[in-house]
Amino acid sequence: PVLLRNNVGQDATWIGFQLEGTKSNRDAIGAKLIVSLRGSKLVRWITGGSSFLASHDKRVLFGLGSRNPFDPVSLEVRWPSGLTETVSGLRPNRYHRIVEAKTSAN
């Protein structure tokens, strides 16, 4: 038996999100995530159906590179329901669970 381990990028900063829709679909498929950190913006979409009879992790991961792991991160979520929410002061190097607010979209 052989154990292979990939240690590339272990010292890089990252942040992850697990979204849960309440008014939108539960897996938040179709949601747009915009991460803001020190003037930079990164964008990801939550998609579904990547393979036949298979699925992938619904969590979204952003690589932040060699940034300071103590810099706060801001997240804007544009839910499929039309609601837009912003969460500030998030800490890197961990996953954050974001639940869609039950307020109505404008």
Side-chain angles (χ1 to χ4, degrees):
V2 176
L3 173 65
L4 302 175
R5 183 174 173 169
N6 184 353
N7 291 325
V8 175
Q10 294 287 22
D11 55 350
T13 304
W14 59 276
I15 191 164
F17 300 99
Q18 178 179 354
L19 271 60
E20 182 180 323
T22 55
K23 186 174 180 183
S24 301
N25 61 80
R26 185 170 177 84
D27 288 332
I29 294 171
K32 181 179 182 180
L33 291 83
I34 304 167
V35 165
S36 299
L37 176 69
R38 296 185 139 209
S40 297
K41 289 191 177 189
L42 303 170
V43 178
R44 300 277 188 277
W45 293 84
I46 296 182
T47 60
S50 64
S51 185
F52 179 70
L53 295 178
S55 183
H56 62 277
D57 193 354
K58 297 288 188 281
R59 296 179 297 177
V60 178
L61 185 68
F62 290 84
L64 304 177
S66 60
R67 302 193 190 268
N68 183 346
F70 299 105
D71 283 344
V73 176
S74 175
L75 171 70
E76 178 182 326
V77 180
R78 296 182 185 168
W79 297 93
S81 66
L83 179 68
T84 299
E85 293 182 287
T86 302
V87 183
S88 300
L90 300 169
R91 298 211 24 224
N93 295 336
R94 64 185 66 192
Y95 280 98
H96 299 272
R97 185 171 175 258
I98 309 293
V99 179
E100 182 180 19
K102 295 181 180 179
T103 57
S104 61
N106 295 338

